Amino acid sequence: MKKLIALLMVLAMVFALVACTAKPADKPADKPAEAGMKVALVTDVGNIDDKSFNQGAWEGVVAFCEAQGMKQGEANGVEFTYKKPTGDSTAERVSAVEAAIDEGYNVIVMPGFAFAGTIYEVQDKYPEVKFIGLDVSENDLFDCFYNIVNFERTTLIDENNPAHVAANTYCAVYQEELCGYMAGYAAVKLGYKHLGFLGGMAVPAVVRYGYGFIQGADAAAKELGIAGEVTIEYVYGNQFFGDADITAYMDTWYQTKNVEVVFACGGGIYTSAVEAAKKVEGAKVIGVDVDQAAIIANLGGEGMTVTSAMKGLAATVKATLGDVILNGNWDAYSGKVANLGLVSGEDPTANFVQIPMESTQWADGFTQDNYKELVAKMFAGEITVSNAIDAQPATEITVNVYDNIKG
């Protein structure tokens, strides 16, 4: 019996030695490092072809998963899919996430700040699932730890329910001031002198877009020696959707103030800018978050979009899934809120904030090569953009700020 035990101990030591000396390269090159991981994207009300957050994130999921030979479908062995909530509420988003988990999906991608409440609800309940939130900030998450009772804000935080980003959660936010700067710089270089900024609500991300836009327009105007000729009208709608009141306000900008191009920044509020712009020959719009040229063309006509200040949603998803699934590197993301910006001074399309190479209306005043030069200088630190949101940037151009359109 003692000889048998000794033999078993020797064999165990041999197997342990083999296991410790195995290299990652020993794994089949075409198989993920994290076996059994399945990816589901949950949309925020809209569809995966919404030309916005949902589509951008979904394209990143598809690009990564299909490159690994994963398939989409409804049968057993499905590796990636998406779920659409039945309505616009945290409860309905949570239900969609849980439906995916029930079907065996253990990497859940959620695009948009509205998912903060969902993360709050599910991250501790499902510790074995990895949650990836796009554009979900610490501020968004912290706000979920409050409850409104009788119009008073009551904290839900106590020793049993602390405010935190759990170890199975990773969130990415973006340096909106950088792509806002690019859009404002491009607009002035392309010859526009009377600009408008229509923000949704004055939340940090929207303010960073707006203040970056101001800084970019100011820099371009100074380079051209026309700072005294450039004006920006600046307002927030105080909501993330367009309506008749906001369209009427934009009518005044385009028709009375002779605004040439409006940066419509905040969810569906762009629809009001587009509705007003299509009534005035040559009026333009700047898109936000993703390349909105196609969706704006459908609503307002071809050629209306000068450019779009974009967040690299697809790039974020693809890069994160690659590192987590192929490299097994979740520790680099665990419990973090990353602030994503420029990663390349040579290839603007590799950055997490950018303007589109294809649909921007390039001209002699601002070419693709000029854009690449701009990005290279920003990446090298030769051009700096403030991300401060506590005070409007000082400028030589004129900026007219108005009260919120909606009370």
Side-chain angles (χ1 to χ4, degrees), residues 6-321:
L7 177 60
L8 291 173
M9 290 178 66
V10 170
L11 289 173
M13 291 174 66
V14 170
F15 287 130
L17 180 61
V18 171
C20 289
T21 56
K23 299 178 180 179
D26 295 337
K27 292 179 293 192
D30 60 345
K31 293 192 71 175
E34 293 281 343
M37 298 187 81
K38 298 181 179 181
V39 182
L41 177 133
V42 177
T43 67
D44 179 13
V45 184
N47 297 313
I48 55 170
D49 58 354
D50 66 353
K51 306 295 184 184
S52 190
F53 260 62
N54 294 318
Q55 181 168 338
W58 177 243
E59 287 173 352
V61 170
V62 173
F64 170 76
C65 292
E66 289 189 345
Q68 311 313 313
M70 298 180 180
K71 303 296 182 183
Q72 181 191 359
E74 297 297 332
N76 292 334
V78 169
E79 298 289 351
F80 72 97
T81 193
Y82 72 92
K83 299 290 183 184
K84 180 180 177 180
T86 56
D88 185 12
S89 72
T90 291
E92 286 159 312
R93 282 185 276 274
V94 168
S95 293
V97 169
E98 291 183 330
I101 293 172
D102 288 344
E103 293 175 16
Y105 293 92
N106 49 16
V107 180
I108 310 295
V109 179
M110 296 169 285
F113 73 92
F115 277 98
T118 305
I119 291 172
Y120 165 77
E121 295 284 348
V122 300
Q123 64 178 357
D124 294 322
K125 187 176 180 181
Y126 301 99
E128 74 287 356
V129 176
K130 293 176 172 60
F131 298 104
I132 299 172
L134 304 177
D135 215 38
V136 180
S137 70
E138 289 177 282
N139 182 65
D140 296 325
L141 290 167
F142 189 78
D143 277 350
C144 294
F145 288 84
Y146 288 88
N147 193 19
I148 305 298
V149 178
N150 295 328
F151 302 102
E152 296 205 2
R153 206 175 190 211
T154 304
T155 182
L156 300 176
I157 301 172
D158 57 35
E159 64 276 9
N160 299 315
N161 188 29
H164 70 295
V165 182
N168 59 328
T169 296
Y170 166 67
C171 295
V173 294
Y174 298 86
Q175 295 173 31
E176 294 92 355
E177 69 277 2
L178 299 183
C179 52
Y181 182 100
M182 296 171 190
Y185 185 93
V188 172
K189 285 285 188 173
L190 290 169
Y192 299 100
K193 295 181 180 180
H194 199 169
L195 291 67
F197 176 82
L198 170 63
M201 299 180 73
V203 297
V206 176
V207 177
R208 285 193 294 270
Y209 267 130
Y211 285 2
F213 185 70
I214 290 173
Q215 292 175 73
D218 185 60
K222 286 188 284 192
E223 286 180 15
L224 294 171
I226 58 170
E229 303 174 33
V230 174
T231 298
I232 296 179
E233 313 291 347
Y234 195 103
V235 75
Y236 296 103
N238 206 30
Q239 63 187 37
F240 286 115
F241 57 92
D243 65 12
D245 293 332
I246 294 175
T247 299
Y249 198 99
M250 291 295 101
D251 285 337
T252 300
W253 274 14
Y254 282 115
Q255 297 179 30
T256 304
K257 293 182 180 292
N258 298 317
V259 170
E260 301 166 286
V261 56
V262 172
F263 180 18
C265 177
I269 203 166
Y270 75 93
T271 58
S272 280
V274 174
E275 286 294 334
K278 69 183 184 182
K279 301 170 188 174
V280 178
E281 184 177 358
K284 302 290 185 179
V285 174
I286 293 173
V288 74
D289 291 334
V290 297
D291 184 355
Q292 290 192 311
I295 194 169
I296 289 173
N298 288 336
L299 182 61
E302 290 292 335
M304 185 177 285
T305 308
V306 172
T307 190
S308 295
M310 296 163 45
K311 298 176 181 179
L313 300 166
T316 305
V317 173
K318 187 176 179 181
T320 305
L321 293 179

Side-chain angles (χ1 to χ4, degrees), residues 293-349:
I295 194 169
I296 289 173
N298 288 336
L299 182 61
E302 290 292 335
M304 185 177 285
T305 308
V306 172
T307 190
S308 295
M310 296 163 45
K311 298 176 181 179
L313 300 166
T316 305
V317 173
K318 187 176 179 181
T320 305
L321 293 179
D323 205 15
V324 170
I325 295 178
L326 296 182
N327 301 329
N329 197 23
W330 179 254
D331 286 347
Y333 304 88
S334 174
K336 295 181 180 178
V337 179
N339 191 15
L340 305 179
L342 303 180
V343 294
S344 174
E346 298 180 357
D347 179 9
T349 65

